[in-house]
């Protein structure tokens, strides 16, 4: 766990939260996916949302991102009560989401991906066209800032590694003014070095005053960059812990709901 | 940072991943072949060029529509039936009901583009593959075409369109011939043969540039510009590449797809109108198998059947290959049924090549 010390950690808890979600419930027909979850994120912190598969992480972040409307509960963004009708609404407010496998379109160039949905234009009337010169310049520059040297702006995203793709998606969200950045399992499909790269990117983004919501089921990854930790289990929060007040082992137990993993751990020799 | 495990990409390899390259190589091959086999048959004289040029232009018009739609991730199998349908509508409205030609043509465009929109809306709302939805319209439109023709005239061919279109400027836009003085000049200086006997003596064998070709070139230029230079073009790529990812960043995927279905219907109607004006009649069986030929042009042009990748210029080159081969077999005296054999063969080759190129781009193994 040498990564622990490589990152500075945010101390922003005194300020007003950027985004505050209180007592969120979400029902899909007879299924109660979320049964009263509260969560907040401050500027310049990395708040990890942990939970096992099926704990409700996906449903919760999709509620945060405007994909789902909560059945009950309130969402306050910068102190104002919000009702997101679509992901577009959430995005315009400044909540950007980078989904695990849907971040990028591999067959398209980095520039085309970077500007997708927000293409800069020049000219007027029916002759309006995409301003590729400007788009390419910005893309190359933003990629450099994140530590990715592209062969060219027309390089297909498919040629980038998984970690680089996540980084392009994060750079895109930051460039377009995200105040809250939701990262859905950004490290779960990556190798060790790629993971380190993405974690370093998270740290870079946090230092710019952006609130990062880091969803993961990997305790080690969360401990490496997280300032606060919230564990979801069966649609409920099991509380939020501040860094240095909790150990990796305790988080792991909370995620598994305590009991079962203790037994498992015995037979696996503490390797989980 | 550079990755030492990445081999240097050669210029050739870089050129290989341009979607048009395969089609360009095909064009060179096909021209070389027919220059050798049929070089002295008149295929490359002015009237010969016009002959395969028109056929290529016909393919190109529908290929542009099919290309943008395929890159947006959908197919339209109703294109061929729509060509017959649009023609019959124009003929019935103008000849049978006595509407002015310009109004009949506009009506045909409105009806066909609405059906295109219906295709798109059905695909989006039902979530069914466009293959199934437009296959249904392949049958519905063909059936309606024959029914309407027989119900109004007891025939499947409606003539008399030429008289009805006399002096009509919208009819000219589709069936006219431009640049006549230029072609006369070219004939006068001996670059184009002239008729040596009959009533047209002294006139060039090629009268001028048919509007059909002007449409083809115009649609290719427009399609290429739209796809590669505009915001909407980026949305077309995104909608076909990964609709979910596109939606998450705010691309109006449904609108893009429906618009492309309408555009495909527009292209089919352009071809139908031009043909009706050229032949002076509409036939209920016109356009059969055109939907597949359009798709093959697009695939030869380097587009992926799965969407998200392709090129309008490539599709246009695909159309050129088709026109040259179809007419070239005629000029070289080969059995014209061999054209279909050629189609099938080149389709397989193109798909194999495309799959390989796609692997190169995405780095899959």
């Amino acid at each position: 766990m040498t990564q622990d010390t490589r990152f500075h950690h945010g101390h922003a808890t005194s300020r007003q939260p950027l985004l505050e979600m209180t007592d969120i419930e979400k029902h899909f027909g007879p299924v109660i996916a979320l049964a009263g979850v509260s969560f907040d994120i401050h500027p310049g912190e990395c708040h990890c949302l942990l939970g096992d598969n099926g704990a409700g992480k996906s449903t919760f972040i999709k509620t945060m991102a405007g994909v789902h409307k909560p059945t009950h509960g309130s969402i306050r963004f910068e102190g104002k009560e919000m009702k997101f009708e679509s992901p577009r609404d959430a995005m315009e407010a400044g909540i950007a989401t980078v989904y695990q496998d849907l971040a990028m379109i591999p067959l398209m160039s980095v520039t085309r991906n970077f500007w997708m949905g927000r293409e800069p234009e020049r000219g007027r009337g029916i002759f309006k066209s995409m301003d590729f010169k400007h788009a390419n310049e910005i893309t190359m520059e933003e990629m450099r800032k994140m530590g990715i040297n592209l062969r060219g702006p027309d390089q297909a995203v498919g040629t980038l590694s998984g970690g680089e793709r996540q980084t392009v998606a994060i750079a895109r969200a930051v460039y377009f003014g995200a105040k809250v950045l939701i990262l859905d399992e950004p490290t779960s499909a990556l190798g060790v070095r790629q993971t380190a790269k993405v974690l370093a990117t998270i740290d870079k983004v946090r230092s710019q005053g952006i609130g990062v919501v880091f969803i993961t089921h990997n305790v080690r990854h969360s401990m490496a960059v997280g300032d606060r930790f919230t564990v979801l289990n069966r649609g409920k929060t099991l509380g939020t812990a501040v860094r240095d007040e909790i150990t990796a082992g305790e988080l792991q137990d909370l995620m598994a709901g305590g009991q079962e993993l203790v037994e498992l751990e015995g037979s696996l020799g503490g390797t989980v | 940072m550079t990755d030492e495990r990445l081999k240097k990409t050669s210029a050739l390899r870089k050129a290989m991943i341009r979607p048009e390259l395969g089609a360009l190589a095909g064009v060179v091959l096909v021209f070389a072949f027919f220059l050798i086999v049929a070089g002295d048959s008149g295929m490359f004289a002015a009237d010969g060029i016009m002959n395969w040029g028109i056929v290529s232009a016909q393919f190109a018009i529908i290929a542009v529509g099919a290309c943008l739609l395929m890159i947006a991730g959908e197919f339209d199998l109703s294109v061929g039936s729509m060509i017959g349908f649009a023609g019959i509508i124009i003929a019935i409205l103008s000849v049978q009901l006595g509407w002015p030609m310009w109004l009949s043509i506009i009506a045909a465009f409105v009806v066909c583009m609405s059906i295109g929109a219906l295709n798109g809306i059905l695909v989006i709302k039902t979530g069914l593959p466009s293959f199934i939805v437009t296959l249904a319209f392949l049958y519905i439109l063909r059936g309606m075409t024959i029914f309407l023709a027989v119900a109004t005239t007891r025939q499947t061919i409606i003539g008399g369109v030429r008289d009805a279109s006399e002096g009509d400027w919208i009819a000219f836009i589709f069936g006219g011939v431009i640049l006549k003085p230029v072609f006369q000049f070219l004939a006068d200086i001996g670059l184009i043969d002239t008729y040596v006997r009959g009533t047209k003596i002294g006139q060039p064998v090629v009268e001028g540039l048919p509007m059909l070709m002007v449409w083809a070139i115009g649609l290719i230029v427009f399609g290429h510009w739209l796809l590669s230079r505009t915001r909407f073009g980026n949305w077309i790529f995104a909608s076909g590449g990964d609709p979910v990812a596109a939606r998450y960043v705010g691309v109006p995927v449904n609108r893009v797809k429906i618009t492309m279905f309408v555009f495909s219907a527009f292209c089919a109607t352009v071809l139908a109108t031009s043909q009706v004006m050229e032949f002076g009649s509409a036939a209920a069986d016109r356009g059969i198998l055109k939907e597949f030929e359009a798709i093959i042009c697009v695939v030869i042009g380097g587009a992926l059947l799965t969407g998200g990748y392709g090129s309008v210029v490539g599709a246009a080159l695909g159309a050129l290959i088709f026109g040259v081969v179809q007419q070239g077999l005629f000029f070289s005296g080969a059995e014209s049924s061999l054209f279909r054999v050629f189609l099938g063969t080149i389709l397989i080759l193109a798909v194999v090549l495309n799959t390989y190129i796609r692997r190169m781009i995405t780095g899959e193994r």
Side-chain angles (χ1 to χ4, degrees):
Chain A
M1 292 281 279
T2 49
Q3 270 156 6
D4 244 347
T5 49
R6 270 191 23 216
F7 304 124
H8 86 104
H9 289 276
H11 298 286
T13 35
S14 55
R15 276 178 271 164
Q16 184 200 18
L18 258 175
L19 178 69
E20 196 173 8
M21 305 191 53
T22 320
D23 208 16
I24 300 291
E25 283 183 32
K26 178 69 192 173
H27 305 179
F28 294 105
V31 181
I32 302 172
L34 298 172
V37 177
S38 298
F39 184 90
D40 61 357
I41 176 87
H42 293 262
E45 76 161 342
C46 173
H47 192 156
C48 299
L49 185 64
L50 294 124
D52 208 351
N53 294 338
K57 290 181 310 228
S58 279
T59 311
F60 187 66
I61 58 160
K62 281 187 176 158
T63 311
M64 211 185 293
V67 178
H68 297 320
K69 271 184 255 178
T71 314
H72 176 81
S74 82
I75 305 176
R76 298 173 75 83
F77 186 75
E78 295 182 317
K80 277 196 302 253
E81 180 86 28
M82 298 295 240
K83 288 239 180 307
F84 298 133
E85 293 296 323
S86 71
R88 186 109 225 180
D89 288 356
M91 258 172 28
E92 264 155 32
I95 301 175
T97 314
V98 175
Y99 292 95
Q100 184 185 354
D101 45 355
L102 301 168
M104 295 277 123
I105 300 182
L107 285 166
M108 286 165 70
S109 73
V110 175
T111 297
R112 283 183 177 276
N113 266 290
F114 190 91
W115 295 91
M116 188 164 62
R118 294 189 184 92
E119 297 82 356
E121 291 187 302
R122 60 164 190 203
R124 56 178 69 187
I126 55 162
F127 295 110
K128 223 185 248 174
S129 64
M130 203 172 145
D131 190 349
F132 271 102
K133 192 169 169 288
H134 172 72
N136 286 339
E137 277 168 15
I138 301 274
T139 308
M140 290 301 274
E141 191 190 322
E142 293 300 312
M143 290 303 103
R144 256 195 304 274
K145 278 191 205 162
M146 288 292 184
I148 297 181
N149 281 319
L150 296 174
R151 260 182 273 144
D154 56 348
Q155 191 179 344
V157 159
T159 58
L160 300 178
S161 70
E164 284 172 330
R165 287 186 211 188
Q166 291 287 341
T167 305
V168 176
I170 293 170
R172 171 171 71 181
V174 171
Y175 179 78
F176 289 111
K179 294 172 184 162
V180 171
L181 181 62
I182 305 169
L183 303 176
D184 179 22
E185 308 247 1
T187 56
S188 65
L190 303 181
V192 180
R193 276 182 55 174
Q194 300 283 331
T195 299
K197 234 180 234 173
V198 171
L199 295 180
T201 307
I202 293 177
D203 182 52
K204 217 173 270 175
V205 169
R206 170 175 57 191
S207 66
Q208 295 175 28
I210 293 166
V212 180
V213 181
F214 178 18
I215 289 88
T216 182
H217 56 244
N218 189 313
V219 172
R220 267 135 73 59
H221 297 170
S222 74
M223 289 301 274
V225 285
D227 298 304
R228 287 193 294 157
F229 308 87
T230 296
V231 178
L232 266 184
N233 193 322
R234 297 179 150 265
K236 288 194 180 116
T237 24
L238 298 171
T240 299
V242 183
R243 177 174 192 79
D244 301 332
E245 286 176 9
I246 193 157
T247 64
E250 285 166 342
L251 274 179
Q252 190 82 291
D253 282 351
L254 279 171
M255 265 172 69
Q259 316 247 298
E260 308 98 279
L261 205 71
V262 177
E263 289 161 26
L264 252 178
E265 226 167 344
S267 59
L268 294 172
T271 48
V272 187
Chain B
M1 79 210 74
T2 49
D3 192 330
E4 69 284 359
R5 289 163 307 168
L6 271 181
K7 285 188 200 153
K8 279 246 170 68
T9 40
S10 66
L12 176 73
R13 206 175 150 90
K14 239 178 216 168
M16 284 284 287
I17 63 172
R18 286 203 62 79
E20 307 89 355
L21 189 92
L24 195 60
V27 168
V28 172
L29 270 176
V30 160
F31 270 97
F33 179 78
F34 283 107
L35 271 172
I36 295 166
V37 174
D40 52 358
S41 65
M43 184 178 170
F44 295 96
D47 50 341
I49 291 175
M50 196 50 75
N51 181 304
W52 50 257
I54 285 181
V55 175
S56 299
Q58 290 172 350
F59 283 126
I61 287 172
I62 46 172
V64 171
C67 176
L68 294 182
L69 183 62
M70 197 190 284
I71 296 173
E74 305 292 341
F75 288 106
D76 187 354
L77 296 185
S78 69
V79 166
S81 297
M82 195 170 278
I83 291 170
F85 185 70
I88 288 293
I89 287 199
I90 292 171
I92 288 178
L93 290 181
S94 60
V95 178
Q96 301 302 121
L97 301 183
W99 289 24
M101 186 52 73
W102 60 269
L103 190 59
S104 310
I105 294 175
I106 292 174
F109 271 96
V110 170
V111 170
C112 290
M113 287 164 78
S114 307
I115 294 170
L118 181 63
N119 264 330
I121 292 166
L122 280 175
V123 167
I124 299 291
K125 292 290 171 201
T126 59
L128 291 170
S130 49
F131 174 81
I132 291 298
V133 172
T134 58
L135 182 63
F137 274 91
L138 182 156
Y139 280 92
I140 293 170
L141 288 178
R142 185 64 69 190
M144 288 297 290
T145 306
I146 297 168
F147 170 77
L148 286 174
V150 172
T152 51
T153 64
R154 304 187 143 273
Q155 289 172 333
T156 55
I157 299 178
I158 306 177
V161 177
R162 189 156 291 145
D163 299 334
S165 64
E166 204 61 56
D168 190 290
W169 68 274
I170 288 197
F172 181 82
I173 288 179
F174 291 96
V177 173
I178 59 166
L179 299 180
K180 282 184 188 175
V182 175
F183 280 71
Q184 184 67 56
F185 171 76
L186 290 176
D188 292 344
I189 61 169
L191 281 176
I192 299 179
D193 293 343
T194 51
Y195 289 105
V196 288
R197 62 178 84 108
T199 53
K200 288 183 175 178
I201 190 159
Q203 291 180 16
V205 289
V206 177
E207 191 188 9
L209 190 65
M211 284 306 290
L212 179 79
M213 282 189 176
V214 177
W215 272 103
I217 294 166
L219 282 171
I220 293 165
V221 171
F222 170 75
H224 177 71
W225 172 78
L226 182 75
L227 182 67
S228 62
R229 304 304 315 170
T230 71
R231 163 184 284 184
F232 195 82
N234 210 35
W235 292 356
I236 295 175
F237 279 121
S239 300
D242 189 337
V244 185
R247 238 173 238 130
Y248 275 136
V249 292
V251 174
V253 173
N254 293 351
R255 206 176 86 208
V256 170
K257 291 194 170 191
I258 292 170
T259 308
M260 286 303 100
F261 273 108
V262 173
F263 182 66
S264 161
F266 172 82
C267 291
T269 313
V270 168
L271 178 57
T273 312
S274 295
Q275 283 191 331
V276 169
M277 296 304 137
E278 188 193 340
F279 297 135
S281 68
D285 65 347
R286 220 163 263 165
I288 285 178
L289 285 181
K290 283 285 173 206
E291 57 280 331
F292 293 110
E293 290 166 358
I295 289 171
I296 298 173
C297 286
V298 176
V299 172
I300 290 178
L304 292 175
L305 288 160
T306 43
Y309 187 75
S311 136
V312 172
V313 173
L317 293 175
L320 182 59
I321 293 178
F322 268 11
V324 171
V325 174
Q326 187 177 330
Q327 298 313 105
L329 289 175
F330 166 76
F331 276 103
S332 56
E335 173 62 39
S336 63
S337 50
L338 285 177
F339 177 61
R340 300 239 163 104
V341 176
F342 166 79
L343 271 193
T345 314
I346 198 167
L347 176 63
I348 298 272
L349 288 176
V351 173
V352 170
L353 181 70
N354 289 354
T355 313
Y356 172 70
I357 288 174
R358 173 223 192 86
R359 287 211 192 107
M360 290 216 303
I361 301 167
T362 57
E364 296 166 23
R365 267 168 274 264

